[in-house]
Amino acid sequence: MAHKEMRTMMQGAFVLTIASFVAKVLSAVYRVPFQNLVGDEGFYVYQQVYPIYGIAMTLALSGLPQFISKVVAEQSDISKQKKVLQQLFPFVLIIAGLCWAFFFFGSHEIAYMMGDEKLTPLIQVVSFTFLLVPILSFYRGNFQGHLLMIPSAISQVMEQIVRVGVILVAAYSFTQFGWSVYQTGTVAMGGALLGGLIAAGILWYYDRKIRVGSSAYLTRWALTDETKPLVGRLLLEGGIVSLYSAFLILFQLVDSFFVKNALVISGMSDFAAKVDKGIYDRGQPLVQLGLVVSLALSSSFLPALTKYFIGSEQGRFLQAAKIFLRLTTTSAAAASIGLVLLLPYINFALFKDYQGNGVLGIYVCSIAFMAVIHAYQSIFQSRNQFSVSMVAAVSGIFMKLISTSPLTQAFGTLGASVSTIAGLITTLLLLVVFSKKEINSFVVENHFLRKLTSSLAIMGIVLLCYQGIISIFLGTVEHRGQALIISIVGVVIGGAAFILTIIKLNLFTVREWLTLPFGAKILRMKR
């Protein structure tokens, strides 16, 4: 039973991983023609407001759905599942309305604090995405609570396709009709609203087709004596889940308020500061791509971890938690090291120059820290332990707040990257310190840390040799197509070297391999 459930979770993780990968690839791909057409200043304009959309997106895609899936998984029958959804929905609707009002009516003041009042219409447009959060989050949470990931996956991909299409139309219009970078950014942000509407339609269709529970909560709300403690859980548990789901987005929002202003204070012209911030923002899609696997694992592991905890199955809970941490740490560490080593070629292939390689190299290291933070937070959440998570998150954000401006004034955008890493390390250290020793022991069991370090080192050496060969035979790469091919081949070579090494070193146990998609095939290859 436990093994079957674990395989179901991992298959769900695989489905979400593929969907997230496609969505993040689209998110990275549209930035290429968009940045190429509107330039670094236009990219800066879009990325300044993007964190606001990012907050709404993470609430609708992972933050609230994770909490809702947990609440649904706790209920013993369908009628109770319907009841909790009817109790929670109106309060999420109120919160979403307040968020919309804050950003819409406060758009001018927010733009002023960002150092660019022309951003006002962009903020107003993106504020409407908050009104879609209740519908999207409840549909997805209800599906994921039943370990059904396909509706969430399809809606996520279609949402991104529509959004990216609108963004590319806006970028094309910039070149053809002479739009300003602010007009272009406003229309591009409209793609988020249209994409959200399409996603809501898809989820509505699946709800009618599969009939997992009922969508009566959209129109019929139930207020009982149990509503008050449930709303308290929504604010506490749902708030913490949403906080961590949007954690890196919040760091980017801090950057929107401080980085450009700090660059101007340090002596840069207003235009140069915008361009430099635009170059710095190139790291965001790379980090999002690197976090795909770990975030999908969080969405799929959480319901089962909750069931094990509620059922007092401590042995299974501990085993699942350790597997979760090992898989997350491995995938995120490999993604970070691989991206750092291939970054010059990826940067040139995507954004047509080598500017910001050092800054972006530090920034993409946040993949590893953020992924492990998500894993620990999910474990705390499944055990209904929230105070540590809250303290750790607030401490990390506070570190980012107090360090971004002075470090950016002193070292430019390199300092902004360092402030991000400092904030993430602060949060991770607090989560590790307050975790149970039995859970933290995953790093030493079966010599996991030593084997992982060795595997990463071998992958790094292989990629450095690959870079050396490229330099000897091609010199400086000056064609973007060449750089793209080199990047793709490098990913394949580095990934193959890493996978072969972890197989050879027995990084994962047989049980862990069997929980992975294609894990049985890999074991047969090993034998």
Side-chain angles (χ1 to χ4, degrees):
M1 177 66 180
H3 179 66
K4 182 179 179 181
E5 190 172 68
M6 184 67 73
R7 283 194 61 82
T8 301
M9 281 193 303
M10 294 311 300
Q11 288 169 357
F14 182 66
V15 169
L16 281 183
T17 298
I18 296 298
S20 297
F21 180 77
V22 172
K24 293 303 185 290
V25 167
L26 288 171
S27 185
V29 166
Y30 87 77
R31 282 170 165 84
V32 177
F34 187 78
Q35 186 267 353
N36 294 171
L37 291 171
V38 303
D40 286 319
E41 183 189 13
F43 196 57
Y44 144 83
V45 168
Y46 179 81
Q47 291 295 135
Q48 279 288 93
V49 180
Y50 175 84
I52 299 175
Y53 160 72
I55 292 171
M57 181 182 67
T58 51
L59 286 173
L61 188 61
S62 54
L64 289 176
Q66 278 193 27
F67 168 72
I68 294 167
S69 70
K70 177 187 176 183
V71 174
V72 169
E74 290 174 354
Q75 308 309 311
S76 57
D77 56 60
I78 294 293
S79 63
K80 291 182 179 179
Q81 292 170 357
K82 292 179 181 179
K83 186 177 179 181
V84 296
L85 293 176
Q86 290 174 324
Q87 290 174 316
L88 285 172
F89 185 80
F91 292 93
V92 174
L93 189 63
I94 291 171
I95 293 171
L98 292 174
C99 289
W100 166 78
F102 174 78
F103 285 108
F104 184 83
F105 294 108
S107 56
H108 183 266
E109 289 73 17
I110 294 170
Y112 175 77
M113 292 174 67
M114 288 181 175
D116 193 344
E117 295 181 35
K118 293 180 180 179
L119 295 172
T120 299
L122 282 83
I123 298 172
Q124 290 176 337
V125 169
V126 79
S127 68
F128 284 94
T129 56
F130 284 96
L131 298 180
L132 293 172
V133 167
I135 295 174
L136 294 175
S137 60
F138 271 73
Y139 273 140
R140 285 167 173 158
N142 195 18
F143 282 122
Q144 290 170 203
H146 291 82
L147 300 180
L148 295 171
M149 309 300 176
I150 289 178
S152 291
I154 293 177
S155 67
Q156 179 183 355
V157 172
M158 289 306 300
E159 180 178 3
Q160 288 302 312
I161 288 175
V162 173
R163 173 173 161 263
V164 168
V166 174
I167 289 171
L168 294 181
V169 169
Y172 177 77
S173 300
F174 172 81
T175 61
Q176 295 298 310
F177 305 116
W179 288 3
S180 71
V181 291
Y182 296 96
Q183 288 174 313
T184 304
T186 302
V187 174
M189 280 299 168
L193 183 60
L194 182 59
L197 290 171
I198 296 297
I202 292 171
L203 290 166
W204 175 86
Y205 165 77
Y206 272 103
D207 184 70
R208 291 293 182 271
K209 180 180 178 181
I210 303 177
R211 294 190 177 280
V212 178
S214 169
S215 57
Y217 55 81
L218 295 175
T219 55
R220 295 197 298 271
W221 304 335
L223 301 178
T224 66
D225 294 337
E226 300 173 354
T227 301
K228 186 175 181 180
L230 195 59
V231 171
R233 287 187 61 189
L234 169 68
L235 296 176
L236 178 61
E237 299 179 37
I240 291 176
V241 174
S242 300
L243 177 63
Y244 275 93
S245 297
F247 199 54
L248 205 54
I249 300 292
L250 291 173
F251 276 39
Q252 294 167 11
L253 188 62
V254 171
D255 287 334
S256 293
F257 284 105
F258 288 101
V259 172
K260 186 256 183 180
N261 289 330
L263 292 173
V264 172
I265 292 172
S266 68
M268 276 192 181
S269 68
D270 190 71
F271 176 76
K274 291 178 182 179
V275 171
D276 212 28
K277 174 63 164 52
I279 294 171
Y280 169 75
D281 285 335
R282 296 177 185 181
Q284 294 180 17
L286 301 177
V287 171
Q288 290 173 355
L289 192 61
L291 286 171
V292 167
V293 174
S294 63
L295 296 183
L297 287 172
S298 296
S299 298
S300 297
F301 263 90
L302 185 58
L305 285 171
T306 301
K307 286 183 179 180
Y308 291 153
F309 178 72
I310 292 175
S312 298
E313 300 178 79
Q314 293 301 315
R316 289 180 178 177
F317 178 90
L318 188 60
Q319 182 184 63
K322 289 180 180 179
I323 292 174
F324 183 19
L325 285 167
R326 276 193 283 266
L327 294 177
T328 300
T329 304
T330 300
S331 60
S336 289
I337 300 299
L339 267 177
V340 169
L341 293 173
L342 293 172
L343 186 61
Y345 303 114
I346 295 174
N347 189 19
F348 183 64
L350 295 180
F351 303 108
K352 69 182 180 180
D353 60 46
Y354 290 101
Q355 295 186 65
N357 283 336
V359 172
L360 299 177
I362 294 176
Y363 190 82
V364 298
C365 290
S366 58
I367 294 171
F369 296 110
M370 194 66 239
V372 182
I373 286 172
H374 268 295
Y376 270 103
Q377 188 275 328
S378 294
I379 293 170
F380 275 110
Q381 178 191 346
S382 65
R383 296 176 65 90
N384 296 322
Q385 297 175 337
F386 304 105
S387 57
V388 172
S389 296
M390 180 62 76
V391 170
V394 171
S395 298
I397 293 172
F398 181 71
M399 175 62 73
K400 172 67 178 174
L401 276 170
I402 64 173
S403 62
T404 299
S405 186
L407 286 176
T408 303
Q409 290 181 47
F411 305 105
T413 50
L414 182 67
S417 292
V418 171
S419 70
T420 294
I421 300 300
L424 294 177
I425 290 176
T426 300
T427 298
L428 180 57
L429 285 176
L430 288 173
L431 290 174
V432 171
V433 167
F434 289 103
S435 292
K436 287 182 174 293
K437 292 182 179 179
E438 295 87 349
I439 292 177
N440 288 333
S441 65
F442 83 94
V443 298
V444 295
E445 289 180 355
N446 195 31
H447 305 290
F448 172 78
L449 186 59
R450 177 175 61 81
K451 292 178 179 179
L452 176 60
T453 304
S454 300
S455 301
L456 292 172
I458 290 172
M459 181 187 72
I461 292 170
V462 169
L463 288 177
L464 288 173
C465 292
Y466 174 67
Q467 284 186 354
I469 293 170
I470 296 298
S471 298
I472 291 171
F473 288 97
L474 297 180
T476 302
V477 177
E478 298 179 352
H479 298 284
R480 296 176 66 190
Q482 245 183 1
L484 180 60
I485 294 172
I486 291 170
S487 300
I488 294 172
V489 173
V491 170
V492 172
I493 291 174
F498 183 72
I499 291 173
L500 290 173
T501 305
I502 64 176
I503 291 173
K504 185 68 175 178
L505 295 179
N506 293 316
L507 182 68
F508 296 140
T509 64
V510 172
R511 181 185 293 273
E512 289 165 351
W513 277 117
L514 290 176
T515 62
L516 287 169
F518 308 117
K521 293 181 180 179
I522 292 175
L523 283 177
R524 285 196 293 270
M525 290 169 56
K526 176 184 175 183
R527 289 169 183 161

